[in-house]
Amino acid sequence: MAESDTPADTQETTFKRVMLKISGEALMGDQGFGLHPPTVERVAKEVKSVHDLGVEICMVIGGGNIFRGLSGSAQGMERTTADYMGMMATVMNALAMQSALEGMGVFCRVITAIRMDEVAEPYIRRRAVRHLEKKRVCIFAAGTGNPYFTTDTAAALRANEMACETILMGKNGTDGVYDKDPRAHDDAKRYDEVSYDEVLSKNLKVMDASAIALARDNNLPLIVFNLDEPGGFRGILAGKGTYTRVTG
């Protein structure tokens, strides 16, 4: 299969370039830890279905299924060291996703904020933009390359740098933003649309505060949807399904 600059059919969506942010936990299935290959493949199929529309896709994947820096710090590990370990976990997840996508014929590049030239490309903005223009999926790993910043903030940062039109937050088992945890409260209310400021003032747990502020300051909308819903990613881009939109 040869790489092509010719876009696929884009009739089902008005988006040209998007950022998909998922947690590391989204890749562990029912295991409770690590990578679950069938789950990685399922998520990769969702990404491929959107890529087949001609949409240019950026991805950021968390590392919480392998190691979470903040929890490591809470257990007595020095915070900076713990955060760097978490960054390494995101690289492992990115490589797993790259392998799954390329097995389906989707060309990818794993691009890291920390140099590790033997396994991934260093982050160079103009090079990453060119990969997107060539219809390669760009998976941004190792966060921002700095401790004390989450992968949520990395997703907001890279989405702005890549001129993405929206950030899609793929959640596990949750079809949007609620006023309280719907898994613990039967009376939880789902928002169809909510503002950045409401997310911050009500502590709605969409993304961390730094990421929300970065999205707000650059007028970058967020769409929160259920990643576990088959066909959900493609459906959301076509304006179908259940989701919450976060805007100004």
Side-chain angles (χ1 to χ4, degrees):
M1 179 180 175
E3 291 180 270
S4 171
D5 291 328
T6 302
D9 178 16
T10 58
Q11 63 179 357
E12 293 190 36
T13 178
T14 58
F15 290 106
K16 181 177 184 291
R17 182 178 296 170
V18 301
M19 166 65 74
L20 174 64
K21 167 62 171 69
I22 63 175
S23 67
E25 289 87 346
L27 303 182
M28 68 186 184
D30 297 327
Q31 298 178 143
F33 181 82
L35 287 159
H36 183 235
T39 300
V40 176
E41 183 176 357
R42 178 185 63 78
V43 175
K45 286 179 179 177
E46 294 286 324
V47 174
K48 181 181 185 302
S49 71
V50 171
H51 182 268
D52 288 346
L53 296 175
V55 178
E56 298 169 4
I57 302 173
C58 302
M59 291 185 70
V60 169
I61 306 172
N65 57 318
I66 299 171
F67 187 87
R68 185 179 295 277
L70 189 57
S71 63
S73 176
Q75 295 178 31
M77 185 177 292
E78 193 272 323
R79 174 65 187 271
T80 300
T81 298
D83 279 357
Y84 279 122
M85 292 174 68
M87 291 179 213
M88 298 304 102
T90 71
V91 177
M92 295 172 68
N93 285 336
L95 292 171
M97 183 57 61
Q98 178 187 49
S99 178
L101 284 168
E102 291 193 336
M104 298 174 187
V106 178
F107 290 95
C108 301
R109 293 293 187 273
V110 172
I111 302 171
T112 64
I114 299 173
R115 293 191 72 101
M116 46 186 77
D117 295 346
E118 289 78 10
V119 297
E121 290 185 9
Y123 175 67
I124 300 172
R125 191 188 68 82
R126 289 176 63 87
R127 181 187 292 177
V129 169
R130 185 57 179 150
H131 287 322
L132 292 171
E133 292 171 347
K134 287 179 171 290
K135 305 306 174 186
R136 299 164 181 157
V137 174
C138 287
I139 308 174
F140 297 100
T144 66
N146 302 288
Y148 295 92
F149 289 92
T150 67
T151 51
D152 284 349
T153 302
L157 175 63
R158 298 293 183 239
N160 279 299
E161 290 177 312
M162 295 296 105
C164 293
E165 296 162 283
T166 186
I167 300 176
L168 293 119
M169 297 286 295
K171 298 290 187 178
N172 301 104
T174 303
D175 57 0
V177 180
Y178 286 76
D179 62 348
K180 61 186 79 172
D181 187 348
R183 292 166 293 190
H185 302 275
D186 293 336
D187 62 343
K189 172 191 172 184
R190 187 182 62 80
Y191 297 94
D192 289 326
E193 188 162 324
V194 65
S195 72
Y196 305 111
D197 289 337
E198 284 181 284
V199 168
L200 291 172
S201 64
K202 296 179 180 179
N203 195 26
L204 294 179
K205 306 293 186 183
V206 179
M207 304 174 89
D208 68 67
S210 297
I212 289 292
L214 186 56
R216 179 194 60 193
D217 293 347
N218 292 278
N219 198 29
L220 180 65
L222 313 177
I223 297 174
V224 184
F225 72 103
N226 186 0
L227 188 67
D228 293 336
E229 183 69 26
F233 185 22
R234 180 172 175 140
I236 293 301
L237 292 183
K240 302 174 184 176
T242 303
Y243 57 90
T244 297
R245 185 177 175 87
V246 183
T247 64

